[in-house]
Amino acid sequence: MTVVIDAGHGGHDRGGIPGQRIAEKVMTLDVAQRLRNVLEASGYHVVMTRDSDVFVPLGTRVAIANSYRNAIFVCVHFNATNRMGASGIETYFYSRNSLPLASAIHHFVVGGAPSGNRGVRRRGYYVLRKTNIPAVLVECGFLTNPTEGAYAQTASYRQKLAEEIAAGVRGRSSVGGALSTTRVATSETIPLQPYMDQTKVTSSKHRKSKSSHKKSARKKKTSSKSTGSEARYASTDPEA
């Protein structure tokens, strides 16, 4: 089994939000390297999309993942927002065959981290949507939250995150078939997590805007603007 590890951001792409004190690209690379070491010690073949502070385009990250058939793709990120109180762990997937992997990784990371559970979410991030193998993106906490930011800056916590993600990779085949709201499993079987599908938010907004000809015209302008933003965002952010 090959595990392709994708450390979010890198090079000129610092990650996070403008003015953020802790560079996300540094934290993601450190966790990714630690994860590689843990998985290699367990006998996995590991491929890194980046192993230094370089910028790797989205298409290249996906191409690396898709060049391995018997593989899984794990993208490591940290969250950021202007609201300092925001906190917690969340795990993203897109294809249905990625849900067991997302459930297992989320189960272990949430169980081992002193942060809240923000849930498993289905969303069409580029690196999840374009990969042909099971793929997840784990947000390991908010660097803009004083407490979680302080945790992330300690080597022991980053090692803990790596170990819990690795436990999820190893436990992906033990995911139970029934949905469960239990945060931490009490049995050997890891529960298949309930998840929020965030892929339909945009289409519901479009449906509401069809009530009149004027609104339809306004919608076209908005849609055009939003597509441009998405393109700009996707060119620099591996999450897009």
Side-chain angles (χ1 to χ4, degrees), residues 31-174:
V31 173
Q33 290 171 329
R34 292 171 185 274
L35 176 59
R36 174 195 59 201
N37 296 341
V38 174
L39 288 174
E40 285 182 342
S42 298
Y44 287 88
H45 174 231
V46 177
V47 174
M48 304 282 284
T49 60
R50 72 177 182 98
D51 200 18
S52 60
D53 186 17
V54 295
F55 174 75
V56 181
L58 294 178
T60 303
R61 296 173 192 251
V62 168
I64 292 170
N66 287 340
S67 64
Y68 296 91
R69 287 186 181 178
N70 183 31
I72 59 175
F73 180 77
V74 179
C75 189
V76 179
H77 276 263
F78 283 84
N79 245 325
T81 181
N82 288 316
R83 188 169 66 84
M84 291 175 63
S87 64
I89 308 290
E90 55 193 16
T91 305
Y92 290 93
F93 75 103
Y94 181 70
S95 65
R96 293 306 172 100
N97 70 333
S98 300
L99 179 55
L101 177 62
S103 291
I105 288 178
H106 189 74
H107 165 72
F108 281 103
V109 176
V110 168
S115 299
N117 182 357
R118 292 174 63 89
V120 171
R121 301 168 186 241
R122 181 171 183 257
R123 195 163 178 181
Y125 288 137
Y126 188 93
V127 293
L128 302 181
R129 199 174 68 244
K130 297 293 186 178
T131 46
N132 300 326
I133 57 177
V136 303
L137 187 153
V138 55
E139 294 277 8
C140 299
F142 283 77
L143 296 178
T144 45
N145 178 285
T147 301
E148 292 186 351
Y151 283 140
Q153 290 180 89
T154 65
S156 59
Y157 184 68
R158 295 193 301 273
Q159 180 66 26
K160 179 68 172 172
L161 287 171
E163 290 170 357
E164 297 299 351
I165 294 171
V169 169
R170 291 191 298 266
R172 68 194 182 283
S173 58
S174 301

Side-chain angles (χ1 to χ4, degrees), residues 37 39 58-59 85 107 181 192 200 202 218 225 230:
N37 296 341
L39 288 174
L58 294 178
H107 165 72
T181 55
L192 183 66
K200 298 181 174 61
T202 303
R218 202 176 302 125
K225 182 179 177 183
E230 237 179 61

